[in-house]
Amino acid sequence: MLYVIAAGSAFAQGAAADTAFLQSSKAQAVAAYKKALGAQTQLYNGTEYVDYKLPYFEGHQFFASNAAENGHVFYDGTWYTDVPILYDLVRDEVIIPYSTTGLKMKLIGSKIDTFQVHDHLYVRLQPDSAGATALQPGFYDLLYSGDTQFLMKRIKQMEDRATQDGMEGEFRNVDKYFIKKDGVYHQVGSKRAVYRVLEDRKKELKKFASSQQLKFRKEKEAAILAIVTYYDSLAAAQPQDK
């Protein structure tokens, strides 16, 4: 066949044209199929997610909203964009609703490197072989990433109780905060803990926190974020002698 094409046979040219046409048609058909089903169909290799919320519980188990929000997920080596996502904070599971049936599927956690929803970027962390990552395996909200990092482990717990009127229940936030400095993760639950991790700039950070009227108890997330961001700006502007 190659010899005939090189010889300029009209038959071979016609066959090549037919082959090219068929390949083009096949590619267009596949593209149309994927577009019709939606890119997220490639994600549907997990198991069905069954809502376990009890009728008397107030609130919900999800991050930000119990309605799916379009986001992005890096799953099994591929980026998927504009995917409807729910993030279960009780079970640390990423949920993808079916667009047509209303059913939900939980993605395989080990295949997720990162995902973004409600303008928050989550990364999956797990202990390394040396045990240097002293964190509970799972997804962490990466709120700031520079020379220093600030992450949150967002968690909800289910709490119920018996009352005279029957059972009552709620989802309670028990979030944990972490600063990564010099390759080490430090859990920080108070203003004192933050200053202890960032000891080398403690004086400047205290002055900054006072001037900005940061409220560590009422607005802990925002306060720590401001402190860590300012810490990195100090280090960049005024590097210390070593």
Side-chain angles (χ1 to χ4, degrees):
M1 176 64 75
L2 290 177
Y3 173 79
V4 174
I5 292 175
S9 167
F11 173 79
Q13 290 176 358
D18 289 343
T19 300
F21 174 77
L22 290 173
Q23 290 176 342
S24 176
S25 298
K26 180 179 179 181
Q28 290 177 10
V30 171
Y33 174 76
K34 289 183 177 180
K35 183 177 180 181
L37 292 180
Q40 67 268 31
T41 55
Q42 303 298 320
L43 299 173
Y44 294 148
N45 60 355
T47 57
E48 182 181 355
Y49 175 82
V50 179
D51 193 344
Y52 53 87
K53 177 185 173 182
L54 298 174
Y56 57 84
F57 264 74
E58 294 184 0
H60 55 81
Q61 64 267 42
F62 303 108
F63 169 61
S65 173
N66 61 351
E69 174 83 5
N70 275 5
H72 317 299
V73 58
F74 190 70
Y75 186 73
D76 201 17
T78 302
W79 264 113
Y80 297 93
T81 60
D82 295 325
V83 177
I85 292 175
L86 286 164
Y87 176 35
D88 185 327
L89 296 178
V90 175
R91 295 183 173 178
D92 199 27
E93 293 176 338
V94 179
I95 314 304
I96 305 295
Y98 283 97
S99 59
T100 55
T101 65
L103 296 176
K104 300 180 179 69
M105 175 169 290
K106 53 185 177 182
L107 299 183
I108 301 171
S110 61
K111 292 187 176 183
I112 303 173
D113 287 327
T114 180
F115 67 93
Q116 185 175 9
V117 66
H118 296 290
D119 295 323
H120 284 253
L121 179 66
Y122 284 86
V123 295
R124 185 171 64 87
L125 299 179
Q126 57 185 358
D128 58 26
S129 58
T133 307
L135 296 174
Q136 175 185 350
F139 299 109
Y140 288 76
D141 190 349
L142 183 58
L143 295 167
Y144 171 78
S145 182
D147 290 337
T148 310
Q149 289 185 349
F150 173 43
L151 309 93
M152 279 184 65
K153 180 60 182 169
R154 298 186 185 273
I155 303 170
K156 283 186 178 181
Q157 289 181 346
M158 299 177 68
E159 295 185 352
D160 59 359
R161 54 196 170 275
T163 70
Q164 293 180 346
D165 298 323
M167 295 296 295
E168 293 181 354
E170 62 185 1
F171 293 93
R172 188 168 69 90
N173 292 313
V174 287
D175 302 326
K176 298 179 181 179
Y177 306 82
F178 297 87
I179 293 175
K180 183 181 181 182
K181 182 174 180 286
D182 298 330
V184 179
Y185 293 90
H186 306 267
Q187 185 171 349
V188 290
S190 65
K191 177 168 57 177
R192 180 178 297 179
V194 172
Y195 291 145
R196 184 166 56 247
V197 174
L198 308 177
E199 177 70 28
D200 53 318
R201 298 287 183 176
K202 183 177 179 180
K203 183 177 179 180
E204 298 100 310
L205 295 179
K206 280 189 170 183
K207 184 177 180 180
F208 171 76
S210 178
S211 68
Q212 300 298 310
Q213 299 182 337
L214 299 181
K215 300 177 175 61
F216 278 82
R217 290 188 178 182
K218 294 183 178 180
E219 301 172 359
K220 186 178 296 186
E221 177 181 338
I224 299 176
L225 176 59
I227 286 291
V228 173
T229 305
Y230 185 65
Y231 173 83
D232 269 4
S233 72
L234 285 175
Q238 305 169 10
Q240 292 183 326
D241 295 332
K242 294 187 179 181

